[in-house]
Amino acid sequence: MNHPKVLFVILVISFAFLSVFYSCSAQQQQKGFSMYPEITNRDKFFVDPLIFYEVDSLKARLDLYIEVPNDNIIFKKDINDEKYKSNISLIINIKNSVNENILTKTYNEYSAYNDKEMIKKSKESRYFFYNYFVEPGNYKIDIIIKDNNSKGEFKKSADLSVKDFNAQEISFSNLMILSKYKINEDGTKEITPLINNNIFGLKEFFVFFEIYNKNNDDITKEYIYKLKDNKDNIVKEDDLTYKLSPNKNQNVENIFLLKELKKYLPEEPDFDFFLYDNDQNIFFKIEIIDKSNNDLVATKKLAFVPKRLISEMHKKPPMR
């Protein structure tokens, strides 16, 4: 079975095009929204760590996707060339289950835009992609972003569980949520990861994943996917049948959900509804279940946050 080459839109074919920034003071943002500490801390930036399996090297691979909204970053205007410039450092720390540090990486990232470019860039985000080989086990990953212009610092942590792909005949990668998926005329595929995993306002989204078959022959497997809400109610489900060739099999599932999600929307969305009403603290999750034994083989939590709320949190003071 031949697998079309996958092109990562934001990170491979168009990385330069999508490397963009906002401008915002961390200190001023905290002053303006200190009453919403959980939301503001959460949305300084977004991280999606995903585990895949490298068939050629027989190793697990951590793909780390990071999205930084530009209005959380300070731009300083350089009087010499009249450009707005940002300067941030991304620090990645990975520790194993006994708290030993197994990896520390620092990446220094810069950008510079003129007045016209800045108008567009101020509405966008900047995207970063890093990958590392990891052994089976449990890990904690810390991601720190330092804004060297404002001296602000943001941090997020995530727990990682890396399974032993070599110990299973059939195994799944993590699930990657896509906002866009396109097949080109030459057969290549373009995918745009939805790093914040926020499905609010979407009429559809896509799920990309890989299935690894260690058998020497093709095998047919049947699964069920279930989209559930935060109360474990099934919002949508469907059968999935795959003919799996030996080694790696890439799959993309398209999920339409605009009609199903309408009932989760208040008549007039506001901060109180999404922040303080615990009964309405809505999120969703996708589950893929093996029909032969009812095992859960893959799952992913999805956010459900109004984009108006996010844009309100990222109000920009004047650029320096």
Side-chain angles (χ1 to χ4, degrees), residues 36-185:
Y36 304 121
E38 293 183 4
I39 293 294
T40 55
N41 287 337
R42 182 186 67 190
D43 290 329
K44 296 296 185 184
F45 65 100
F46 303 95
V47 177
D48 197 13
L50 302 167
I51 301 296
F52 292 90
Y53 179 62
E54 283 279 0
V55 174
D56 294 336
S57 64
L58 303 180
K59 292 182 178 180
R61 186 189 76 238
L62 166 62
D63 287 356
L64 182 61
Y65 294 81
I66 301 174
E67 175 187 354
V68 182
N70 290 345
D71 58 0
N72 283 340
I73 301 299
I74 283 291
F75 282 79
K76 288 186 175 180
K77 192 167 186 178
D78 189 330
I79 60 174
N80 295 316
D81 58 10
E82 295 294 313
K83 288 189 175 182
Y84 294 98
K85 297 182 178 180
S86 69
N87 177 0
I88 66 172
S89 299
L90 293 90
I91 303 167
I92 314 298
N93 291 308
I94 301 179
K95 293 184 178 181
N96 61 17
S97 58
V98 293
N99 209 36
E100 296 173 334
N101 196 70
I102 66 166
L103 181 142
T104 298
K105 292 283 187 179
T106 299
Y107 306 93
N108 297 312
E109 303 287 350
Y110 308 91
S111 64
Y113 305 114
N114 59 34
D115 288 340
K116 184 177 180 180
E117 291 171 330
M118 199 66 222
I119 294 173
K120 178 181 178 182
K121 304 304 182 184
S122 66
K123 301 175 183 178
E124 300 175 350
S125 295
R126 191 169 184 183
Y127 299 89
F128 305 94
F129 169 68
Y130 312 107
N131 57 27
Y132 320 97
F133 287 112
V134 287
E135 297 295 329
N138 296 316
Y139 301 91
K140 181 180 180 181
I141 178 169
D142 294 321
I143 302 98
I144 300 170
I145 295 182
K146 292 184 177 181
D147 185 344
N148 298 311
N149 282 341
S150 70
K151 308 304 179 184
E153 181 175 307
F154 316 132
K155 179 180 177 180
K156 280 193 176 184
S157 299
D159 294 322
L160 298 174
S161 178
V162 181
K163 59 184 146 185
D164 186 355
F165 290 95
N166 296 309
Q168 301 173 292
E169 287 192 0
I170 304 293
S171 56
F172 273 64
S173 72
N174 288 157
L175 305 181
M176 177 190 290
I177 307 303
L178 311 176
S179 59
K180 294 180 182 179
Y181 173 71
K182 178 184 177 183
I183 301 178
N184 296 317
E185 292 181 359

Side-chain angles (χ1 to χ4, degrees), residues 87-315:
N87 177 0
I88 66 172
S89 299
L90 293 90
I91 303 167
I92 314 298
N93 291 308
I94 301 179
K95 293 184 178 181
N96 61 17
S97 58
V98 293
N99 209 36
E100 296 173 334
N101 196 70
I102 66 166
L103 181 142
T104 298
K105 292 283 187 179
T106 299
Y107 306 93
N108 297 312
E109 303 287 350
Y110 308 91
S111 64
Y113 305 114
N114 59 34
D115 288 340
K116 184 177 180 180
E117 291 171 330
M118 199 66 222
I119 294 173
K120 178 181 178 182
K121 304 304 182 184
S122 66
K123 301 175 183 178
E124 300 175 350
S125 295
R126 191 169 184 183
Y127 299 89
F128 305 94
F129 169 68
Y130 312 107
N131 57 27
Y132 320 97
F133 287 112
V134 287
E135 297 295 329
N138 296 316
Y139 301 91
K140 181 180 180 181
I141 178 169
D142 294 321
I143 302 98
I144 300 170
I145 295 182
K146 292 184 177 181
D147 185 344
N148 298 311
N149 282 341
S150 70
K151 308 304 179 184
E153 181 175 307
F154 316 132
K155 179 180 177 180
K156 280 193 176 184
S157 299
D159 294 322
L160 298 174
S161 178
V162 181
K163 59 184 146 185
D164 186 355
F165 290 95
N166 296 309
Q168 301 173 292
E169 287 192 0
I170 304 293
S171 56
F172 273 64
S173 72
N174 288 157
L175 305 181
M176 177 190 290
I177 307 303
L178 311 176
S179 59
K180 294 180 182 179
Y181 173 71
K182 178 184 177 183
I183 301 178
N184 296 317
E185 292 181 359
D186 61 1
T188 57
K189 298 178 180 179
E190 297 180 8
I191 64 177
T192 304
L194 185 65
I195 298 174
N196 59 28
N197 294 310
N198 182 19
I199 63 172
F200 188 93
L202 298 181
K203 66 178 181 180
E204 64 177 338
F205 65 92
F206 304 85
V207 185
F208 171 84
F209 55 93
E210 295 179 344
I211 306 177
Y212 311 105
N213 176 17
K214 290 188 65 67
N215 296 287
N216 293 324
D217 301 315
D218 292 351
I219 184 172
T220 299
K221 290 286 293 181
E222 295 182 334
Y223 301 93
I224 302 173
Y225 88 75
K226 296 182 180 181
L227 180 67
K228 294 182 176 180
D229 64 17
N230 55 298
K231 296 182 180 179
D232 221 33
N233 297 314
I234 296 175
V235 179
K236 195 165 190 175
E237 66 178 305
D238 203 356
D239 293 332
L240 305 171
T241 301
Y242 301 116
K243 185 177 181 180
L244 304 176
S245 63
N247 297 320
K248 180 172 67 177
N249 299 263
Q250 294 181 336
N251 301 281
V252 176
E253 294 296 334
N254 186 195
I255 299 180
F256 291 90
L257 72 170
L258 186 61
K259 181 172 115 178
E260 288 82 0
L261 294 187
K262 281 184 178 179
K263 66 180 181 180
Y264 293 92
L265 298 174
E267 292 183 3
E268 296 182 3
D270 56 25
F271 281 106
D272 292 342
F273 177 85
F274 286 96
L275 296 179
Y276 295 118
D277 190 338
N278 291 329
D279 290 336
Q280 300 294 339
N281 184 17
I282 300 171
F283 61 86
F284 296 89
K285 61 182 176 180
I286 295 177
E287 296 179 346
I288 299 181
I289 299 165
D290 188 334
K291 289 183 73 172
S292 67
N293 53 22
N294 211 37
D295 282 349
L296 179 65
V297 295
T299 186
K300 182 82 167 188
K301 185 176 178 179
L302 306 173
F304 193 68
V305 181
K307 295 192 172 46
R308 182 181 66 82
L309 187 154
I310 293 178
S311 64
E312 285 291 325
M313 291 173 353
H314 297 317
K315 283 182 178 177

